[in-house]
């Protein structure tokens, strides 16, 4: 027999064997000699060869311990409630932070799911122009899954966003995901002459040094990166996930009334190698 309850008073310690050896289905009672025991209740999970539908209740004073058999419907209700609680716990709640440029997009994303909670950041600057940043209610995101919707649209905004990106994982969060829709230096991924600087590798190294959270390395989500081999520019402390907006483009083109007359033109051979397989349903040039 296994039971969950507060520790028994000292006068009951010598009566544990009654519980552990009990296999009868008849009710029984035990009375405390000191009459000073507090009220407790526990559910007996199972007897030997018996279904788990019993509970024990003790009242203070002269009241005995009661062994009560629950009805089958009560057991089923408890099981259903337990299953419902488990389902609620499996829903992954995400705290979504954003920068000034992605505020509207973040609000649209949060409107699509009740599991996403919008969180804001105070983007301020000192008199000399350097960032003066603050994350409100930082204690409130402890143990939560956190995401940051970034936009590296210009060099002037990268530093302030990196400051927040580096700070969030250190707030004792369960996991951290960086959503960077556009990887801005992706086209500078190789050297054509000695002295060229592959800035795609530089940015990848910067992002690879994001601190790990309780859940492990940061997940980086970016869309339609210039070259798939840039995956190997990132270190082991970040997990790049390359997504694509091409399926959305295909669906939109197929909805057009003249979709049969559409041809896809690529600006160069590299673009054709990168995307032609995803657009093979359309004539290409």
């Amino acid at each position: 027999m296994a039971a969950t309850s507060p520790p028994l008073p000292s006068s009951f310690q010598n009566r544990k064997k009654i519980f552990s050896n009990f296999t009868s289905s008849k009710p029984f009672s035990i009375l405390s000699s000191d009459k000073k025991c507090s009220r407790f209740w526990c559910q007996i999970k199972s007897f030997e060869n018996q279904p788990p539908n019993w509970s024990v209740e003790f009242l203070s004073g002269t009241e005995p311990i009661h062994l009560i058999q629950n009805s089958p419907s009560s057991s089923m209700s408890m099981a259903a409630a337990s299953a419902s609680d488990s389902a609620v716990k499996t829903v992954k709640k995400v705290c979504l932070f954003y920068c000034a440029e992605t505020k509207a997009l973040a609000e649209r994303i949060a409107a699509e799911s009740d599991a996403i909670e919008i969180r804001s950041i105070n983007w301020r600057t000192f008199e000399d122009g350097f960032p003066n940043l603050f994350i409100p209610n930082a204690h409130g995101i402890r143990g939560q899954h956190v995401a940051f919707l970034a936009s590296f649209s210009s060099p002037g905004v990268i530093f302030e966003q990196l400051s927040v990106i580096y700070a969030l994982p250190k707030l004792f969060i369960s996991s951290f995901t960086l959503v960077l829709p556009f990887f801005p230096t992706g086209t500078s991924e190789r050297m054509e002459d000695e002295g060229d600087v592959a800035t795609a590798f530089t940015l990848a190294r910067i992002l690879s040094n994001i601190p790990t959270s309780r859940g492990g390395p940061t997940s980086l989500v970016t869309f339609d990166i210039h070259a798939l081999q840039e995956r190997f520019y990132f270190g082991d402390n970040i997990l790049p996930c390359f997504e694509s907006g091409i399926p959305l483009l295909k669906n939109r083109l197929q909805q057009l009334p003249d979709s049969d007359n559409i041809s896809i033109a690529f600006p160069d051979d590299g673009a054709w190698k990168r995307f032609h397989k995803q657009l093979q349903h359309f004539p290409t040039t």
Side-chain angles (χ1 to χ4, degrees):
M1 179 189 69
T4 56
S5 67
L8 289 174
S10 58
S11 61
F12 281 90
Q13 297 300 321
N14 59 351
R15 297 182 175 90
K16 289 183 179 178
K17 61 181 180 180
I18 297 177
F19 284 94
S20 59
N21 297 328
F22 184 80
T23 57
S24 172
S25 60
K26 296 180 180 180
F28 75 95
S29 64
I30 302 174
L31 183 62
S32 168
S33 59
D34 54 21
K35 300 181 182 181
K36 295 180 180 180
C37 302
S38 59
R39 176 189 179 99
F40 73 88
W41 181 92
C42 66
Q43 182 183 4
I44 298 178
K45 298 300 183 181
S46 64
F47 289 113
E48 182 178 354
N49 301 324
Q50 295 293 330
N53 57 350
W54 295 79
S55 60
V56 174
E57 185 175 20
F58 173 78
L59 301 176
S60 61
T62 60
E63 293 294 331
I65 293 178
H66 300 284
L67 179 65
I68 306 170
Q69 183 176 14
N70 301 323
S71 64
S73 60
S74 176
S75 299
M76 293 178 63
S77 299
M78 293 174 63
S82 177
S84 177
D85 291 341
S86 299
V88 172
K89 291 180 180 179
T90 56
V91 176
K92 182 178 179 179
K93 299 289 186 178
V94 178
C95 298
L96 178 60
F97 291 88
Y98 56 87
C99 64
E101 296 181 22
T102 59
K103 179 180 179 180
L105 179 58
E107 292 174 347
R108 290 173 57 188
I109 293 173
E112 297 293 328
S113 174
D114 294 334
I116 299 177
E117 179 184 357
I118 287 289
R119 294 294 188 97
S120 62
I121 296 172
N122 294 340
W123 302 94
R124 303 169 300 187
T125 58
F126 293 106
E127 294 181 358
D128 57 4
F130 278 90
N132 178 17
L133 310 172
F134 181 74
I135 302 173
N137 192 22
H139 290 281
I141 64 174
R142 287 186 175 182
Q144 302 294 318
H145 299 284
V146 174
F148 181 77
L149 183 57
S151 175
F152 291 177
S153 58
S154 67
V157 300
I158 292 179
F159 176 73
E160 63 179 8
Q161 293 182 51
L162 282 175
S163 300
V164 172
I165 291 168
Y166 274 52
L168 287 172
K170 292 187 175 183
L171 295 178
F172 211 68
I173 60 177
S174 291
S175 67
F176 181 61
T177 300
L178 172 61
V179 182
L180 183 62
F182 175 61
F183 193 76
T185 60
T187 54
S188 179
E189 87 287 6
R190 64 182 182 272
M191 296 174 55
E192 296 182 353
D193 193 9
E194 189 67 28
D196 286 341
V197 177
T199 53
F201 181 63
T202 304
L203 183 56
R205 291 182 65 184
I206 293 174
L207 296 178
S208 297
N209 284 283
I210 297 174
T212 56
S213 64
R214 290 174 55 196
T218 295
S219 299
L220 168 66
V221 181
T222 190
F223 288 80
D224 294 309
I225 198 165
H226 181 70
L228 292 177
Q229 63 266 26
E230 292 179 51
R231 175 187 304 276
F232 305 105
Y233 293 179
F234 296 90
D236 295 335
N237 290 330
I238 193 168
L239 303 175
C241 178
F242 292 166
E243 297 289 351
S244 177
I246 297 298
L248 297 176
L249 174 62
K250 287 173 56 178
N251 292 337
R252 182 68 181 91
L253 293 177
Q254 291 170 350
Q255 293 173 5
L256 297 177
D258 56 346
S259 59
D260 295 336
N261 298 324
I262 294 176
S263 296
I264 305 297
F266 296 96
D268 52 37
D269 186 59
W272 181 86
K273 292 179 180 178
R274 176 72 173 84
F275 295 108
H276 82 279
K277 291 183 178 180
Q278 300 182 61
L279 297 167
Q280 58 186 352
H281 299 291
F282 297 94
T284 58
T285 57

